[in-house]
Amino acid sequence: MSPEKKCIVLKFGGASVSSPESFSSIADIILQRKKEYEKVIVVVSAMGSTTDDLISLAQKVNPNPPRRELDMLISVGERISVSLLAMALSAKGSEAISFTGSQSGILTTDDHSDAKIVNVKPQRLLPHLENGKIVIVAGFQGMSISGEITTLGRGGSDTTAVALAIALNAELVEFFKDVYGIYDKDPKVDKDAKLLSSLSYKEAFQIMNNGAKVLHARCVRLAEKNSLSLKVLPFAHYNEKNVGTIIHSQEKRKLHISFEI
Ligand code: ASP
Ligand code: MG
C-alpha cells in the first residue's frame, strides 16, 4: 500500500446505529472524514441491543446452545449493520462496500465466543481502498484457522478496528461512542468526574481497571503493543470543541506488526 495515502479507521458502536435513520447520520461523519483521508475503513457494531436479542433468541430454542452455532447466529448482528451502512452511503452517492470479518481476513483462534485475533490478511480490501471506496467491515467476528466463523467476546468490535488499523498501517482509530470521551471517574456515579483530553496507555488501563468500560481492554493492549493512537469521540457531538479523549503513543509507529497480546 502506498504510504503517502492517508489512512484512518473509524469505529461506530451499537448506540450510534440504533435506528434506521442513524445510518444516514454516521454516513455524514464518514464522508466528512473522507475529505481528509484517502483511505477510510469503517468498523460497525450490531444495532442497539441486537446481540443481546440474538442471544436470548438462541436461549429460547436451546438454553445451552453449541458455541459454534451461537457464533454463527450472533455474528449476523454486525452483518446487518455493515450492509445498511453501505446502502446509506450509496444513497448519498458515495461508493462503499461491506465485508464480513472472514472476508476481511480476520484470522482467529477457534475459541468460539471468545476468539483471539492471530493475524489479519486484508488482501481483499486493498484494491477497494486503492480505488477510493469506503470499506466497511463487520466488527466482533473472524474466521478460525479451520474456517469456522468465530466471535471475539462482547464488545469485541473495538478490537476488530484496532487489528485492521495495524494491518493497514492506519494513522489512528477514531471510536464514535455515546460518551463525550474517557473520564477520570465514572461520570454516571460521580458528578465531579473530569473529561480527560489525553491519556497514555498506562493511564487508560488504570482508568479501565477502575471500572470505566469505554473501550474493549484487549484493543488498548493491542494498540499499545503497536504504538497506535486511539481517539474516543461522541458521535452526536464529534465536531465540537473540548470533547473526546486521545490515547497517545509516545513512540513512533512500529513497523513490526504484532497481534499477540
Ligand atoms: N455486538 C457485539 C456486542 O454487543 C460486539 C460489539 O458491540 O462490539 O458485544
Ligand atoms: Mg454491541
Side-chain angles (χ1 to χ4, degrees), residues 14 45-46 48 51 78 154:
S45 295
T51 309
E78 272 67 15
R154 299 304 307 267

Side-chain angles (χ1 to χ4, degrees), residues 13-15 45-52 78 140 154-157:
S45 295
M47 293 174 72
S49 62
T50 301
T51 309
D52 291 328
E78 272 67 15
F140 177 54
R154 299 304 307 267
S157 301

Side-chain angles (χ1 to χ4, degrees), residues 4-20:
E4 71 277 8
K5 288 197 177 176
K6 286 207 328 169
C7 176
I8 191 167
V9 175
L10 310 176
K11 153 77 199 340
F12 293 90
S16 65
V17 287
S18 54
S19 68

